[in-house]
Amino acid sequence: MQGTMCGIVKEARGEGLVYKTDLPIPQIGPDEILIKVKAAALCGTDLHICDWDTWSQNRVRPPMVIGHEIAGDVVEIGENVTDCKIGDRVSVESHIPCKECWFCQNDLAEICKNVELFGVTVPGGFAEYAKIRSDCAFHLDDNISYEHACMFEPMGAGVHGVEAAHVEGKTVLVSGCGPIGLTAITAAKVFGAKKVIACDLIDEKLEIAKEMGADIIINSGKCDLVAEIKAMTDGVGVDAAIDITGAGAAINNALKSVRAAGRMVCVGLPSKEVTMDLTEDLIYREVEMTGISGRRIWGTWESFAKVMQDPRYKIERIIGHEFKMADFQKAIDEVKSGVPGKMILKP
Ligand SMILES: [Zn+2]
Ligand SMILES: [Zn+2]
């Protein structure tokens, strides 16, 4: 497709983003599709790119359109594309695997060693149109709105964390009740957890956790979390714990709350090294500890589609306000001032 479009651009190495109205519409290759973007969501990563922190400096190659949590309609397909057709409603997997490395060959594409990141290392989707390799498009059921479809990518980390925790029939601790933690709580219930305990430092978030399926809520700032959990599990501990916070103290508390031979899953990213007592808390107790990266392609997406349909999943608690892409700065300002929820941007 020829012509120009609007979009949010990282124009040069340095701070800031600009909204432009004269960008060329991306030209697709033989394996790619062109998506008319209907909705997008603002991510913490986009704020890092705006602020131009070290993480961004090492990955982003300006000038380019940013944004990676998007949904829209397929309007053009490349000559080799057989898995998408014009008119399909899709969302996008932001991890573009190489399909050739050892990990891709062993069904671990989410940790591909040559991964490209949509909207980070290659141009993204905060624009009227975006292109992506066709096998990175997730096909949406008709009953999923574009706004809700933008939640697959970011909330998928929470769902993947629950998948990695093997929760069926188990007592599970979810530490951290922001949007990803709340998603993990409902996901744990949907995947058959017997009991979900949610902890956070903020009572308002814990109330929402309860609405979204938590059986027990604990304000870990007001009590000794480990003692509290031991008391409610006959001194044994939870079968599995999922840390969403990435905070060292919270990770340690979650690890100590897991029973011997239980499972600990780290989802939240610590900003610095975390110290742990591996001898006492992990080795002697045979705890299994793992991390997750991104989403299983497409297992996590299909799981989340189920979670989204569950009446316990209150997606309106996950999504914040809606803005035109031209007003993206207002969305960033709201996030920075602490307004909760994922902000939606529309072309
Ligand atoms: Zn994101
Ligand atoms: Zn690969």
Side-chain angles (χ1 to χ4, degrees), residues 173-177 197-201 206 216-220 225:
L173 171 68
V174 176
S175 175
C177 296
I197 304 169
C199 70
D200 199 282
L201 300 172
L206 289 165
I216 297 171
I217 53 173
I218 302 177
N219 186 320
S220 39
L225 178 75

Side-chain angles (χ1 to χ4, degrees), residues 97-105 109 112-115:
C98 74
K99 302 202 274 191
E100 277 159 18
C101 73
W102 186 90
F103 301 95
C104 285
Q105 299 286 329
C112 165
K113 77 180 175 76
N114 307 313
V115 71

Side-chain angles (χ1 to χ4, degrees), residues 5-8 19-21 36-42 46 66-67 69-72 89 125-129 144-151 319-332 342-347:
M5 64 172 191
C6 303
I8 302 170
Y19 179 76
K20 299 193 81 168
T21 56
K36 184 165 176 47
V37 178
K38 296 288 192 168
L42 188 67
D46 304 317
I66 69 151
E69 301 170 1
I70 70 157
R89 299 168 72 252
F126 283 171
E128 280 175 279
Y129 296 93
I144 298 176
S145 69
Y146 296 109
E147 295 83 357
H148 293 184
C150 292
M151 296 302 119
I319 295 177
H321 299 143
E322 193 174 302
F323 300 87
K324 298 296 275 182
M325 281 184 190
D327 296 327
F328 75 90
Q329 192 57 51
K330 288 184 192 161
I332 291 180
K342 296 283 291 178
M343 302 303 166
I344 300 288
L345 299 173
K346 291 193 167 171

